[in-house]
Amino acid sequence: MIIDAHRHYWDPSRLDYGWLEHAPATLQRAFLPSDLEAATDACLLVQAAPDERETLFLFDIARHTDGVLGVVGWVDMEADDATQRIAALVEQGQGLLRGIRPMVQDIPDTEWLARPSLDRAFDCLRDHGLVFDALVDNRHLRALSQRLARHSGLVTVVDHGAKPNIADGQFASWAGAIARVAQVPDVACKLSGLLTQADLNNGMAAIEPYVAHLFESFGGQRVLWGSDWPVLTTHATYEQWKACAQKLTRRFARRHETAVFGGNATTIYSLAGRVPAAASGATS
């Protein structure tokens, strides 16, 4: 079973997705399961708005959509009652909540991740067995390393390879920083979101050295594929990106294809034995 470890569904008529105001016009509309019916891969849904109501929205989609294995949601990590909020989402999800993703890339303070005031919330993620999805770029990797040093056993997944600036060829500083993060054993990385960091005309070729470095740094057992659909659609179709990622995985992590395209997500997000909610007949 192939697992898409990073898929979005959103509906701007229901919630405020502020970042969409600066996104390409083609993304400024609702994207729902009916828009991707041709893709039969199982998936994890990932938050796209800093709003706990969106996590509940994704739970509802998961309960009514074939193939959804879980949700990576959002919670206010800075709230005084952050631990209670996390516990409440765990209960409301009834097994669907597999991780939490603060939208670090959109927070003006690039050292936000290192704030001691967040310690309780991160401890709570670990204690509930939730994954920390790190939506970061090169500006945040030092603070991310500081955060990880405080929480032994916190399973962390770096989204989109930490979003290297591929279009401008900025490789060296990113490569050193992501390699240092990869030295932490509980950290994995998504093979996702790279095409949209590259120039539209040569993205497939441009991402190759970055993918090679991710596999060199994390190894085939700590890299997991994600589509980043529908953001992906500005540069490629779902099937085009999947085929590209499969080709690159065969080149740089031969014999790890099954792990990258499903096994690693199953292990990291504790999906073993899970049945998609819609297939089990659950209702919201």
Side-chain angles (χ1 to χ4, degrees), residues 54-242:
E54 195 215 14
T55 304
L56 303 182
F57 170 60
L58 295 179
F59 288 163
D60 190 56
I61 289 178
R63 293 184 176 112
H64 295 89
T65 305
D66 290 336
V68 178
L69 299 174
V71 169
V72 175
W74 184 90
V75 71
D76 185 353
M77 303 278 282
E78 295 185 281
D80 291 339
D81 61 345
T83 58
Q84 292 94 325
R85 289 171 181 249
I86 293 167
L89 286 177
V90 169
E91 182 176 356
Q92 290 167 303
Q94 297 179 317
L96 284 171
L97 188 67
R98 310 316 304 157
I100 291 291
R101 185 174 85 147
M103 300 184 78
V104 178
Q105 69 172 13
D106 296 329
I107 297 172
D109 180 8
T110 58
E111 299 297 318
W112 180 86
L113 270 175
R115 292 182 183 180
S117 60
L118 300 174
D119 288 356
R120 289 186 305 112
F122 278 101
D123 281 340
C124 186
L125 297 188
R126 180 189 58 197
D127 294 345
H128 280 285
L130 297 173
V131 173
F132 163 42
D133 261 49
L135 178 60
V136 297
D137 59 40
N138 197 35
R139 299 169 300 159
H140 310 103
L141 292 179
R142 183 180 66 176
L144 176 61
S145 294
Q146 294 174 9
R147 172 57 55 194
L148 297 176
R150 298 181 197 166
H151 306 278
S152 176
L154 175 66
V155 178
T156 299
V157 176
V158 178
D159 288 350
H160 314 322
K163 304 190 79 168
N165 187 343
I166 301 173
D168 292 337
Q170 295 182 10
F171 181 85
S173 63
W174 165 84
I178 198 67
R180 287 189 290 275
V181 169
Q183 292 173 3
V184 181
D186 293 316
V187 179
C189 183
K190 287 183 184 176
L191 177 56
S192 64
L194 297 178
L195 277 182
T196 50
Q197 299 302 307
D199 184 87
L200 184 61
N201 296 319
N202 65 346
M204 299 290 186
I207 69 172
E208 287 191 16
Y210 296 85
V211 174
H213 184 68
L214 290 176
F215 278 118
E216 180 182 356
S217 300
F218 289 92
Q221 295 300 323
R222 289 193 290 149
V223 174
L224 52 161
W225 175 74
S227 70
D228 195 26
W229 187 92
V231 180
L232 166 72
T233 61
T234 62
H235 283 62
T237 68
Y238 183 94
E239 292 299 333
Q240 285 172 336
W241 166 235
K242 183 166 70 170

Side-chain angles (χ1 to χ4, degrees), residues 255-272:
R255 297 185 297 276
H256 290 285
E257 294 99 320
T258 300
V260 172
F261 285 85
N264 293 342
T266 298
T267 299
I268 291 164
Y269 288 97
S270 302
L271 302 176

